[in-house]
Protein backbone atom coordinates (compact mmCIF):
# COMPACT_ATOMS: atom_id res chain seq x y z
CA UNK A 1 0.00 0.00 0.00
CA UNK A 2 1.45 3.38 -1.00
CA UNK A 3 0.45 6.35 1.17
CA UNK A 4 1.38 9.93 0.45
CA UNK A 5 0.49 12.33 3.28
CA UNK A 6 0.02 15.93 2.24
CA UNK A 7 0.89 19.00 4.37
CA UNK A 8 -1.18 20.12 7.41
CA UNK A 9 -4.11 21.86 6.87
CA UNK A 10 -26.11 18.91 18.05
CA UNK A 11 -28.29 17.31 15.57
CA UNK A 12 -27.53 17.87 11.95
CA UNK A 13 -29.58 19.88 9.48
CA UNK A 14 -29.43 16.85 7.20
CA UNK A 15 -31.02 14.72 9.91
CA UNK A 16 -33.57 17.44 10.79
CA UNK A 17 -34.49 17.73 7.12
CA UNK A 18 -35.09 14.02 6.70
CA UNK A 19 -37.03 13.80 9.97
CA UNK A 20 -39.30 16.69 9.07
CA UNK A 21 -39.90 15.34 5.60
CA UNK A 22 -40.69 11.91 7.01
CA UNK A 23 -43.61 13.43 8.93
CA UNK A 24 -44.99 14.97 5.77
CA UNK A 25 -44.75 12.13 3.24
CA UNK A 26 -44.69 8.32 3.33
CA UNK A 27 -41.32 6.62 3.60
CA UNK A 28 -41.31 5.36 0.03
CA UNK A 29 -41.93 8.86 -1.33
CA UNK A 30 -39.19 10.18 0.94
CA UNK A 31 -36.78 7.65 -0.51
CA UNK A 32 -37.73 8.60 -4.06
CA UNK A 33 -37.32 12.31 -3.35
CA UNK A 34 -33.95 12.04 -1.65
CA UNK A 35 -32.33 9.21 -3.52
CA UNK A 36 -33.79 10.03 -6.93
CA UNK A 37 -33.54 13.79 -6.82
CA UNK A 38 -30.34 14.35 -4.88
CA UNK A 39 -28.20 11.24 -5.19
CA UNK A 40 -29.40 9.98 -8.57
CA UNK A 41 -31.86 7.46 -9.94
CA UNK A 42 -31.06 3.84 -10.57
CA UNK A 43 -29.43 3.11 -13.87
CA UNK A 44 -28.20 6.67 -14.37
CA UNK A 45 -24.57 7.66 -14.41
CA UNK A 46 -23.21 10.20 -11.99
CA UNK A 47 -22.51 13.39 -13.98
CA UNK A 48 -19.47 14.29 -11.85
CA UNK A 49 -17.62 11.01 -12.13
CA UNK A 50 -15.79 11.60 -15.39
CA UNK A 51 -14.96 7.90 -15.76
CA UNK A 52 -13.49 6.56 -18.95
CA UNK A 53 -16.05 5.73 -21.61
CA UNK A 54 -16.96 2.20 -22.62
CA UNK A 55 -17.13 0.63 -19.17
CA UNK A 56 -19.51 -2.09 -20.37
CA UNK A 57 -20.12 -2.99 -24.00
CA UNK A 58 -23.80 -3.95 -24.31
CA UNK A 59 -23.09 -5.81 -27.56
CA UNK A 60 -20.71 -8.22 -25.79
CA UNK A 61 -22.63 -10.30 -23.26
CA UNK A 62 -22.43 -13.69 -21.62
CA UNK A 63 -25.09 -15.72 -19.82
CA UNK A 64 -24.76 -18.07 -16.89
CA UNK A 65 -25.64 -21.63 -17.89
CA UNK A 66 -29.11 -22.77 -16.89
CA UNK A 67 -29.40 -26.23 -18.50
CA UNK A 68 -32.57 -27.12 -16.65
CA UNK A 69 -34.06 -23.66 -16.78
CA UNK A 70 -34.38 -21.34 -13.77
CA UNK A 71 -35.38 -23.05 -10.56
CA UNK A 72 -38.22 -21.26 -8.82
CA UNK A 73 -37.85 -21.91 -5.12
CA UNK A 74 -40.89 -22.01 -2.84
CA UNK A 75 -41.84 -18.54 -1.70
CA UNK A 76 -40.08 -16.82 -4.61
CA UNK A 77 -42.41 -15.10 -7.10
CA UNK A 78 -42.73 -16.03 -10.78
CA UNK A 79 -40.58 -13.02 -11.63
CA UNK A 80 -37.62 -15.36 -11.10
CA UNK A 81 -38.15 -16.80 -14.57
CA UNK A 82 -38.40 -13.35 -16.10
CA UNK A 83 -35.25 -12.26 -14.26
CA UNK A 84 -33.34 -15.19 -15.79
CA UNK A 85 -34.42 -14.13 -19.26
CA UNK A 86 -33.05 -10.61 -18.66
CA UNK A 87 -29.74 -11.69 -17.21
CA UNK A 88 -27.32 -11.26 -20.11
CA UNK A 89 -24.24 -10.21 -18.21
CA UNK A 90 -21.57 -7.95 -19.75
CA UNK A 91 -18.48 -9.88 -20.85
CA UNK A 92 -16.17 -7.21 -19.45
CA UNK A 93 -16.32 -4.21 -17.14
CA UNK A 94 -13.79 -1.38 -17.29
CA UNK A 95 -11.32 -3.66 -19.07
CA UNK A 96 -11.70 -6.47 -16.53
CA UNK A 97 -13.05 -9.82 -17.80
CA UNK A 98 -16.28 -10.81 -16.06
CA UNK A 99 -16.12 -14.34 -14.61
CA UNK A 100 -18.79 -16.45 -12.95
CA UNK A 101 -18.65 -17.61 -9.34
CA UNK A 102 -17.33 -21.07 -10.19
CA UNK A 103 -14.42 -19.74 -12.23
CA UNK A 104 -13.61 -17.11 -9.60
CA UNK A 105 -13.55 -19.66 -6.78
CA UNK A 106 -11.35 -22.05 -8.79
CA UNK A 107 -8.90 -19.27 -9.60
CA UNK A 108 -8.72 -18.28 -5.95
CA UNK A 109 -8.19 -21.89 -4.85
CA UNK A 110 -5.43 -22.24 -7.46
CA UNK A 111 -3.71 -19.00 -6.50
CA UNK A 112 -4.39 -17.47 -9.92
CA UNK A 113 -4.91 -13.75 -10.29
CA UNK A 114 -4.98 -11.00 -7.72
CA UNK A 115 -6.24 -7.50 -7.28
CA UNK A 116 -9.70 -6.25 -8.19
CA UNK A 117 -11.81 -8.81 -10.05
CA UNK A 118 -15.21 -8.63 -11.78
CA UNK A 119 -17.58 -11.43 -10.75
CA UNK A 120 -21.09 -12.09 -12.08
CA UNK A 121 -23.89 -14.02 -10.43
CA UNK A 122 -27.20 -13.82 -8.62
CA UNK A 123 -26.97 -11.85 -5.38
CA UNK A 124 -29.04 -12.24 -2.25
CA UNK A 125 -28.25 -9.94 0.66
CA UNK A 126 -28.15 -11.16 4.23
CA UNK A 127 -30.37 -9.71 6.90
CA UNK A 128 -29.40 -6.18 7.92
CA UNK A 129 -29.60 -5.11 11.58
CA UNK A 130 -31.95 -2.12 12.10
CA UNK A 131 -29.03 0.05 13.23
CA UNK A 132 -27.43 -0.38 9.81
CA UNK A 133 -30.41 0.88 7.78
CA UNK A 134 -29.44 4.30 6.41
CA UNK A 135 -32.20 6.89 6.94
CA UNK A 136 -31.67 8.27 3.42
CA UNK A 137 -30.79 5.22 1.33
CA UNK A 138 -32.58 2.62 3.46
CA UNK A 139 -31.14 -0.93 3.25
CA UNK A 140 -28.98 0.23 0.33
CA UNK A 141 -27.16 2.57 2.70
CA UNK A 142 -23.43 2.28 3.04
CA UNK A 143 -22.38 3.03 6.62
CA UNK A 144 -21.90 -0.48 8.00
CA UNK A 145 -20.79 -3.95 6.93
CA UNK A 146 -23.28 -6.04 4.94
CA UNK A 147 -22.92 -9.58 3.61
CA UNK A 148 -24.62 -11.78 1.06
CA UNK A 149 -24.48 -14.87 -1.14
CA UNK A 150 -23.57 -14.86 -4.83
CA UNK A 151 -24.52 -17.92 -6.88
CA UNK A 152 -24.22 -18.99 -10.50
CA UNK A 153 -27.77 -20.33 -10.46
CA UNK A 154 -30.93 -18.33 -9.95
CA UNK A 155 -31.65 -19.73 -6.52
CA UNK A 156 -33.04 -18.02 -3.46
CA UNK A 157 -30.73 -19.07 -0.60
CA UNK A 158 -33.44 -18.15 1.89
CA UNK A 159 -35.90 -20.78 0.57
CA UNK A 160 -36.56 -23.65 2.96
CA UNK A 161 -35.24 -26.33 0.60
CA UNK A 162 -32.26 -24.44 -0.83
CA UNK A 163 -29.54 -25.44 1.65
CA UNK A 164 -28.57 -28.83 0.13
CA UNK A 165 -28.30 -27.45 -3.39
CA UNK A 166 -26.30 -24.43 -2.29
CA UNK A 167 -23.95 -26.64 -0.27
CA UNK A 168 -23.09 -28.53 -3.47
CA UNK A 169 -22.66 -25.43 -5.66
CA UNK A 170 -19.83 -22.90 -5.97
CA UNK A 171 -20.67 -20.02 -3.65
CA UNK A 172 -19.13 -16.62 -3.08
CA UNK A 173 -19.90 -14.80 0.15
CA UNK A 174 -19.35 -11.16 -0.77
CA UNK A 175 -18.92 -8.66 2.04
CA UNK A 176 -19.76 -5.00 1.50
CA UNK A 177 -17.71 -2.65 3.68
CA UNK A 178 -18.82 0.79 4.86
CA UNK A 179 -18.75 3.29 2.00
CA UNK A 180 -19.93 0.88 -0.70
CA UNK A 181 -23.38 1.92 -1.89
CA UNK A 182 -25.80 -0.65 -3.32
CA UNK A 183 -28.63 -0.31 -5.83
CA UNK A 184 -31.97 0.13 -4.08
CA UNK A 185 -33.24 -2.99 -5.87
CA UNK A 186 -30.91 -5.10 -3.73
CA UNK A 187 -33.24 -4.46 -0.79
CA UNK A 188 -35.76 -6.94 -2.24
CA UNK A 189 -33.18 -9.75 -2.02
CA UNK A 190 -32.57 -9.40 1.73
CA UNK A 191 -33.22 -12.45 3.88
CA UNK A 192 -36.99 -12.66 4.50
CA UNK A 193 -37.50 -10.29 1.55
CA UNK A 194 -40.01 -11.05 -1.19
CA UNK A 195 -37.83 -10.46 -4.25
CA UNK A 196 -35.75 -12.87 -6.34
CA UNK A 197 -31.95 -12.81 -6.34
CA UNK A 198 -30.59 -9.92 -8.39
CA UNK A 199 -28.20 -10.47 -11.34
CA UNK A 200 -25.12 -8.35 -10.62
CA UNK A 201 -21.47 -7.82 -11.50
CA UNK A 202 -19.39 -7.08 -8.41
CA UNK A 203 -15.94 -5.50 -8.32
CA UNK A 204 -13.83 -6.70 -5.43
CA UNK A 205 -10.83 -8.66 -4.23
CA UNK A 206 -10.05 -11.49 -1.89
CA UNK A 207 -8.77 -10.14 1.40
CA UNK A 208 -8.64 -11.47 4.86
CA UNK A 209 -9.32 -12.86 7.11
CA UNK A 210 -11.42 -9.84 8.11
CA UNK A 211 -11.86 -9.97 11.86
CA UNK A 212 -15.47 -9.96 13.02
CA UNK A 213 -16.83 -9.72 9.49
CA UNK A 214 -16.47 -13.19 7.97
CA UNK A 215 -19.99 -14.43 8.62
CA UNK A 216 -20.11 -17.50 6.35
CA UNK A 217 -18.56 -20.88 6.99
CA UNK A 218 -15.18 -21.50 5.38
CA UNK A 219 -14.22 -18.00 4.30
CA UNK A 220 -10.64 -17.41 5.51
CA UNK A 221 -10.14 -15.11 2.51
CA UNK A 222 -13.20 -12.93 2.28
CA UNK A 223 -14.34 -11.42 -1.02
CA UNK A 224 -14.52 -7.72 -0.19
CA UNK A 225 -16.69 -5.77 -2.62
CA UNK A 226 -15.41 -2.34 -3.64
CA UNK A 227 -18.31 -1.53 -5.93
CA UNK A 228 -21.35 -2.76 -7.84
CA UNK A 229 -20.62 -2.27 -11.55
CA UNK A 230 -23.81 -3.62 -13.11
CA UNK A 231 -27.17 -5.01 -12.05
CA UNK A 232 -30.14 -6.41 -13.96
CA UNK A 233 -29.25 -4.69 -17.24
CA UNK A 234 -28.13 -1.38 -15.71
CA UNK A 235 -24.60 -0.02 -15.53
CA UNK A 236 -24.32 1.21 -11.94
CA UNK A 237 -22.47 4.48 -11.29
CA UNK A 238 -23.99 5.95 -8.15
CA UNK A 239 -21.17 5.91 -5.60
CA UNK A 240 -22.09 9.02 -3.56
CA UNK A 241 -22.53 8.56 0.19
CA UNK A 242 -23.38 11.35 2.65
CA UNK A 243 -22.99 10.79 6.38
CA UNK A 244 -26.44 11.65 7.85
CA UNK A 245 -25.08 13.07 11.11
CA UNK A 246 -23.02 15.81 9.44
CA UNK A 247 -24.24 19.35 10.05
CA UNK A 248 -25.11 20.72 6.61
CA UNK A 249 -28.23 21.31 4.53
CA UNK A 250 -28.55 18.63 1.87
CA UNK A 251 -30.91 20.83 -0.20
CA UNK A 252 -29.42 24.32 -0.01
CA UNK A 253 -25.75 23.56 0.57
CA UNK A 254 -23.71 23.46 -2.70
CA UNK A 255 -22.07 20.15 -1.76
CA UNK A 256 -22.29 18.78 -5.33
CA UNK A 257 -19.78 21.42 -6.45
CA UNK A 258 -17.33 20.40 -3.72
CA UNK A 259 -17.93 16.75 -4.59
CA UNK A 260 -16.95 17.49 -8.20
CA UNK A 261 -13.74 19.18 -7.02
CA UNK A 262 -12.88 16.17 -4.85
CA UNK A 263 -13.53 13.87 -7.79
CA UNK A 264 -11.17 15.94 -9.95
CA UNK A 265 -8.44 15.55 -7.32
CA UNK A 266 -8.41 11.80 -7.95
CA UNK A 267 -7.49 12.23 -11.60
CA UNK A 268 -8.08 9.78 -14.43
CA UNK A 269 -9.48 6.38 -13.36
CA UNK A 270 -11.63 3.70 -14.96
CA UNK A 271 -14.42 4.30 -12.48
CA UNK A 272 -15.15 5.93 -9.13
CA UNK A 273 -16.01 3.22 -6.63
CA UNK A 274 -16.72 5.38 -3.57
CA UNK A 275 -17.16 9.11 -3.09
CA UNK A 276 -18.18 9.85 0.49
CA UNK A 277 -18.61 12.99 2.57
CA UNK A 278 -17.83 11.88 6.12
CA UNK A 279 -16.18 12.89 9.37
CA UNK A 280 -12.58 11.71 9.96
CA UNK A 281 -13.92 9.35 12.62
CA UNK A 282 -16.33 7.77 10.12
CA UNK A 283 -13.55 7.62 7.51
CA UNK A 284 -11.66 5.29 9.83
CA UNK A 285 -14.44 2.72 9.40
CA UNK A 286 -14.21 3.03 5.59
CA UNK A 287 -10.43 3.16 5.10
CA UNK A 288 -8.15 3.01 8.13
CA UNK A 289 -5.04 3.73 6.08
CA UNK A 290 -6.56 6.90 4.61
CA UNK A 291 -7.80 8.04 8.01
CA UNK A 292 -4.39 7.40 9.54
CA UNK A 293 -2.71 9.52 6.84
CA UNK A 294 -4.74 12.64 7.69
CA UNK A 295 -2.88 15.57 9.29
CA UNK A 296 -3.76 16.47 12.87
CA UNK A 297 -5.98 18.14 13.81
CA UNK A 298 -8.28 16.66 11.18
CA UNK A 299 -10.95 18.64 9.37
CA UNK A 300 -14.58 18.46 10.46
CA UNK A 301 -15.70 17.00 7.11
CA UNK A 302 -13.70 15.34 4.36
CA UNK A 303 -14.37 13.82 0.95
CA UNK A 304 -13.01 10.31 0.44
CA UNK A 305 -12.79 9.24 -3.21
CA UNK A 306 -11.78 5.71 -4.23
CA UNK A 307 -11.16 4.85 -7.87
CA UNK A 308 -10.44 1.76 -9.96
CA UNK A 309 -7.41 1.53 -12.24
CA UNK A 310 -6.89 -1.33 -14.72
CA UNK A 311 -3.40 -2.07 -16.08
CA UNK A 312 -3.06 -4.34 -19.16
CA UNK A 313 -0.51 -7.16 -19.12
CA UNK A 314 1.04 -9.35 -21.80
CA UNK A 315 -1.93 -11.69 -21.28
CA UNK A 316 -5.07 -9.86 -22.43
CA UNK A 317 -7.16 -12.07 -20.15
CA UNK A 318 -5.20 -11.10 -17.05
CA UNK A 319 -5.30 -7.31 -16.59
CA UNK A 320 -4.45 -6.05 -13.12
CA UNK A 321 -7.11 -4.13 -11.20
CA UNK A 322 -5.94 -1.78 -8.45
CA UNK A 323 -7.43 1.09 -6.45
CA UNK A 324 -6.32 4.65 -5.78
CA UNK A 325 -7.77 7.13 -3.27
CA UNK A 326 -7.65 10.76 -2.16
CA UNK A 327 -8.97 12.63 0.87
CA UNK A 328 -9.97 16.26 0.34
CA UNK A 329 -10.96 18.87 2.93
CA UNK A 330 -14.63 19.75 2.36
CA UNK A 331 -14.26 23.33 3.61
CA UNK A 332 -11.05 24.36 1.81
CA UNK A 333 -10.75 21.88 -1.07
CA UNK A 334 -7.20 21.08 0.09
CA UNK A 335 -5.79 17.65 -0.75
CA UNK A 336 -5.06 16.11 2.65
CA UNK A 337 -3.77 12.64 1.70
CA UNK A 338 -3.57 10.19 -1.18
CA UNK A 339 -2.58 6.60 -1.70
CA UNK A 340 -3.29 3.36 -3.47
CA UNK A 341 -2.22 -0.15 -4.46
CA UNK A 342 0.91 -1.14 -6.32
CA UNK A 343 0.22 -3.14 -9.47
CA UNK A 344 2.11 -6.44 -9.43
CA UNK A 345 3.06 -8.43 -12.47
Amino acid sequence: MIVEPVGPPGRSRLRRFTSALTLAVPALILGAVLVGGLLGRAGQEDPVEGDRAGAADPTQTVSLPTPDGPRASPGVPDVVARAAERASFPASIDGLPVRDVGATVRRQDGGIGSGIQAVMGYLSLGEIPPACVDEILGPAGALCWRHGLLLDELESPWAADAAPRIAAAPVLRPQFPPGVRLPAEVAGTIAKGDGPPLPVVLLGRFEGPVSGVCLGAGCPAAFIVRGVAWYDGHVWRRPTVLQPTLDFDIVDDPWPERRAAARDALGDVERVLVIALVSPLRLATIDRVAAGALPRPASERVWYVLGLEVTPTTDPNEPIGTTRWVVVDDATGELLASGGDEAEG
Side-chain angles (χ1 to χ4, degrees), residues 8-9 258 261-262 277 294-295 297-304 326-337:
R258 301 195 300 276
L277 179 61
L294 294 181
S299 304
E300 180 181 351
R301 299 192 303 258
V302 297
W303 286 100
Y304 171 78
V326 296
V327 181
V328 175
D329 189 302
D330 180 55
T332 67
E334 178 187 1
L335 178 64
L336 300 177

Side-chain angles (χ1 to χ4, degrees), residues 109 171 173 214-222:
D109 291 344
V171 176
R173 294 179 172 85
C214 189
L215 303 177
C219 51

Side-chain angles (χ1 to χ4, degrees), residues 39-301:
L39 299 184
R41 296 176 178 82
Q44 292 182 338
E45 296 191 4
D46 192 320
V48 305
E49 284 197 0
D51 300 339
R52 295 171 186 159
D57 184 352
T59 65
Q60 299 293 323
T61 61
V62 292
S63 298
L64 290 174
T66 51
D68 301 321
R71 181 185 295 115
S73 302
V76 179
D78 291 339
V79 294
V80 168
R82 296 197 297 275
E85 294 171 0
R86 294 197 305 267
S88 292
F89 295 81
S92 66
I93 290 283
D94 301 318
L96 294 174
V98 176
R99 297 184 174 94
D100 63 22
V101 173
T104 301
V105 171
R106 289 191 297 272
R107 286 168 58 84
Q108 171 65 12
D109 291 344
I112 303 172
S114 62
I116 299 294
Q117 305 178 50
V119 187
M120 65 180 174
Y122 294 96
L123 174 68
S124 296
L125 204 62
E127 193 168 1
I128 298 179
C132 292
V133 178
D134 189 292
E135 66 180 84
I136 295 178
L137 297 175
L143 295 179
C144 65
W145 283 92
R146 295 134 295 160
H147 69 283
L149 288 175
L150 192 71
L151 305 171
D152 281 337
E153 290 195 38
L154 188 56
E155 173 85 63
S156 173
W158 318 130
D161 65 343
R165 291 190 297 273
I166 292 176
V171 176
L172 204 60
R173 294 179 172 85
Q175 299 176 24
F176 302 84
V180 175
R181 184 175 160 188
L182 304 178
E185 286 77 2
V186 171
T189 73
I190 295 175
K192 301 178 182 178
D194 59 358
L198 193 69
V200 299
V201 174
L202 304 179
L203 297 172
R205 61 156 59 96
F206 287 96
E207 301 177 12
V210 181
S211 177
V213 176
C214 189
L215 303 177
C219 51
F223 188 78
I224 306 300
V225 178
R226 294 304 173 189
V228 178
W230 178 97
Y231 77 96
D232 199 16
H234 301 287
V235 175
W236 172 249
R237 293 184 183 278
R238 310 303 314 185
T240 301
V241 175
L242 305 177
Q243 182 179 330
T245 54
L246 293 179
D247 189 19
F248 76 103
D249 193 319
I250 191 173
V251 175
D252 296 329
D253 188 282
W255 61 266
E257 299 175 9
R258 301 195 300 276
R259 177 184 64 173
R263 164 63 188 91
D264 290 344
L266 184 65
D268 188 27
V269 292
E270 301 291 345
R271 117 179 356 243
V272 172
L273 299 169
V274 176
I275 182 164
L277 179 61
V278 293
S279 67
L281 184 62
R282 177 67 71 176
L283 176 60
T285 69
I286 296 176
D287 189 327
R288 293 181 183 177
V289 174
L294 294 181
R296 299 292 187 269
S299 304
E300 180 181 351
R301 299 192 303 258

